Amino acid sequence: MTENSPKLTAVRDGRVLRVTLTNPERLNAIDYATMAVLGDVFSEAAGDPAVRAIVITGEGKAFCTGADLSAMSGEITPEEVMDCAGRLVTAIAETPVPVIARVNGPAAGVGVGIALAADLVYAAESAYFLLSFTNIGLMPDGGTTALIAAAAGRALANEMALLGERLPAAAAREAGLVNAALAPAELDTKVEEAAAKLAHGPRRALELTKQALNATSLAPLGAALAREKAGQVELLGSPDFIEGATAMLQKRKAVFAE
């Protein structure tokens, strides 16, 4: 399998499918079209017996810094954007082969959801995780309201979602949000070792193991995505979001309604 779009590459390397977001100028912020293609990549991999493991990462200094709203057409509705993001996160979680997230740099917004929907998450020491939605009058999406709590518990989920502050990779590892926080050379070594072992493992046994683990830990994901869609669609039309987005563009602190 080889699939390319202007901001995404997906190339099969033996038994490993290597997926890379390629929008480094925007720190791999992801637009609607790329989200749709990425969802297709994972859906197609599910039916390809030649794919035994998937590695997803970002080109350059970042993993994925969230939705690139500036690149989205005005013809695309908020409902469509939320459905597309939900389909992508679900496809990653439900793909029968193990998925490894190589978080080479910042992961923000839906980028956090993409990373945490993977089965193994290895982060660079310089990486961080950020849900800055409430800073601009929105709520977390990309399944993060379920994925963070599933990985690290309610306390960390509340802190990240409500305060909207960066969580460094080392703290993410300490909290159990990721499997490891590593130096750059060690990151590549760890990802390659895990990918090679999974790619030559028993495919059906790994599939059933993944299903069993997700049935326990990610059972709330579908309901969380539905709640996120309903809440985000409401908030995207709110005065607080208009103020938050304007303040961000003007590089000032937002002043929300009393």
Side-chain angles (χ1 to χ4, degrees):
M1 173 189 291
T2 300
E3 188 161 349
N4 297 286
S5 75
K7 300 172 184 177
L8 171 73
T9 63
V11 180
R12 189 157 60 82
D13 177 15
R15 297 181 173 191
V16 179
L17 179 64
R18 301 185 183 277
V19 182
T20 306
L21 294 170
T22 57
N23 188 20
E25 295 80 8
R26 297 278 298 161
L27 298 178
N28 297 318
I30 187 168
D31 58 29
Y32 178 84
T34 306
M35 269 198 291
V37 172
L38 187 54
D40 290 341
V41 166
F42 278 92
S43 295
E44 291 169 11
D48 186 348
V51 175
R52 305 289 288 273
I54 302 172
V55 175
I56 182 167
T57 191
E59 180 182 348
K61 298 179 180 180
F63 177 74
C64 174
T65 54
D68 190 356
L69 299 178
S70 67
M72 294 189 185
S73 168
E75 298 178 356
I76 301 169
T77 67
E79 289 87 350
E80 289 173 318
V81 173
M82 294 300 297
D83 284 341
C84 190
R87 172 178 172 263
L88 168 57
V89 170
T90 301
I92 295 171
E94 294 185 352
T95 297
V97 298
V99 178
I100 301 170
R102 176 185 175 273
V103 184
N104 53 304
V110 72
V112 177
I114 292 171
L116 298 186
D119 304 291
L120 296 171
V121 186
Y122 299 116
E125 291 174 334
S126 59
Y128 61 81
F129 298 82
L130 173 65
L131 299 181
S132 60
F133 296 93
T134 56
N135 296 336
I136 57 170
L138 295 177
M139 67 174 289
D141 59 29
T144 54
T145 57
L147 292 166
I148 294 173
R154 182 171 179 265
L156 183 66
N158 284 343
E159 186 172 19
M160 290 183 67
L162 297 174
L163 298 180
E165 298 172 350
R166 295 181 181 185
L167 181 73
R173 173 65 188 98
E174 184 176 352
L177 193 66
V178 303
N179 295 93
L182 303 159
E186 295 173 336
L187 175 64
D188 287 334
T189 298
K190 186 65 175 179
V191 168
E192 292 310 307
E193 287 178 348
K197 182 171 184 177
L198 292 169
H200 291 86
R203 191 182 196 274
R204 182 59 174 164
L206 291 171
E207 176 183 357
L208 291 175
T209 300
K210 175 173 178 172
Q211 286 180 358
L213 291 168
N214 285 354
T216 300
S217 61
L218 296 187
L221 181 58
L225 289 167
R227 285 190 294 268
E228 290 171 359
K229 176 184 175 181
Q232 205 72 301
V233 168
E234 174 190 332
L235 293 170
L236 283 166
S238 70
D240 277 345
F241 172 62
I242 294 172
E243 164 61 14
T246 302
M248 182 176 64
L249 291 172
Q250 296 177 351
K251 302 184 185 305
R252 61 173 174 80
K253 185 177 180 179
V255 180
F256 297 116
E258 294 291 337

